[in-house]
Amino acid sequence: MSVSQPSTTMEHQLFFDVIQERRSVRSYDPQIKISREELTEMLRQATLAPSAANLQPWRFLVIDTPELKQKLLPIAFNQQQVVEASAVIAVLGDLECYKWAEKIYGMAVDADFMPAETAKSFVERYTVMYSNMSSEAIHQKVYTDGGLVSMQLMLVARAKGYDTVPMGGYDKQKFMEAFRISERYVPIMLIAIGKAAKSGHPTVRLAVDDVAFFNEMPEE
């Protein structure tokens, strides 16, 4: 145990460094290009994030060509990080993610993570559940899971030495139309990714005592 302890402590420190060094960066070095292989690997790591019933409703449209970034620029209200960053990743939510249940749970069976009968019951349960769920409830689920995978992607990028900024300021309807995205999907956010030309501004956070309460909420 004494042999592995320093290594474990170092790994923990590296993780905390990633969290503390992440900044929302809005100025990027346009000369830096991230390969599609590396972007794919970062997305693979990001998709290890949790999701409701493991239905993984996130979908990613990676925009990395100069022409398409220019097309996105006015839709994103001319925020320069759109064209300066190596890529912009549109995080989308699949409102019909339950249609992937058979494949997902079948993979779990193949990996010996669950019995075939359990997988079959899960497919039936979630197909019925989502088919009868209100649109508002499904939207809430995919927004929640989309937020989880987005944060994971930004931390993965920082661990690999890249910078990001999440963007909610864009015309979502025009984005859907311009990139021919069907109504099956909802836009959650855009994430610009690249190498910072200028460091992100340090920010302040409320004290934990201001935002966390044990067992009961304080009186207003």
Side-chain angles (χ1 to χ4, degrees):
M1 182 175 180
S2 60
V3 174
S4 62
Q5 188 63 37
S7 175
T8 302
T9 301
M10 184 177 295
E11 289 171 0
H12 289 173
Q13 185 57 51
L14 290 172
F15 175 72
F16 295 140
D17 288 345
V18 167
I19 293 174
Q20 292 170 16
E21 291 171 3
R22 186 209 60 79
R23 294 282 186 273
S24 290
V25 169
R26 292 176 173 81
S27 180
Y28 290 85
D29 182 347
Q31 302 303 314
I32 300 298
K33 304 300 179 187
I34 305 174
S35 71
R36 291 188 175 182
E37 291 77 14
E38 192 165 15
L39 285 168
T40 298
E41 174 58 19
M42 285 190 277
L43 289 169
R44 188 188 70 79
Q45 294 285 348
T47 59
L48 297 176
S51 62
N54 195 32
L55 289 176
Q56 306 163 50
W58 41 69
R59 304 291 179 262
F60 308 99
L61 178 60
V62 181
I63 301 166
D64 66 352
T65 67
E67 296 78 15
L68 289 180
K69 288 192 286 184
Q70 283 291 342
K71 182 178 180 178
L72 178 60
L73 183 61
I75 295 171
F77 308 133
N78 296 310
Q79 298 179 75
Q80 282 302 301
Q81 61 263 30
V82 167
V83 291
E84 292 175 349
S86 181
V88 177
I89 299 173
V91 182
L92 308 170
D94 184 357
L95 298 174
E96 298 178 12
C97 58
Y98 67 90
K99 292 182 177 179
W100 287 82
E102 187 170 357
K103 178 173 183 176
I104 290 169
Y105 296 129
M107 291 168 64
V109 171
D110 292 341
D112 290 328
F113 292 161
M114 68 170 60
E117 281 304 310
T118 301
K120 183 174 181 291
S121 69
F122 279 10
V123 171
E124 293 171 352
R125 177 192 307 175
Y126 293 117
T127 298
V128 170
M129 180 185 295
Y130 274 78
S131 298
N132 291 284
M133 198 179 292
S134 69
S135 174
E136 182 181 358
I138 296 176
H139 276 72
Q140 184 60 54
K141 283 184 178 293
V142 300
Y143 279 127
T144 298
D145 293 343
L148 289 169
V149 80
S150 296
M151 188 70 253
Q152 186 131 315
L153 175 58
M154 289 186 283
L155 291 176
V156 168
R158 180 63 264 174
K160 287 183 169 289
Y162 295 112
D163 300 287
T164 58
V165 61
M167 302 165 59
Y170 63 103
D171 189 318
K172 295 179 175 59
Q173 187 58 44
K174 286 184 179 179
F175 171 74
M176 298 288 280
E177 292 169 358
F179 288 87
R180 297 187 299 175
I181 300 169
S182 78
E183 293 184 356
R184 172 171 174 166
Y185 306 100
V186 292
I188 294 172
M189 70 178 75
L190 304 177
I191 300 176
I193 180 170
K195 281 274 192 180
K198 295 180 182 178
S199 300
H201 295 296
T203 58
V204 297
R205 293 291 187 270
L206 293 170
V208 173
D209 287 347
D210 292 327
V211 298
F213 316 101
F214 290 88
N215 302 320
E216 62 180 3
M217 293 296 290
E219 295 182 5
E220 295 293 330

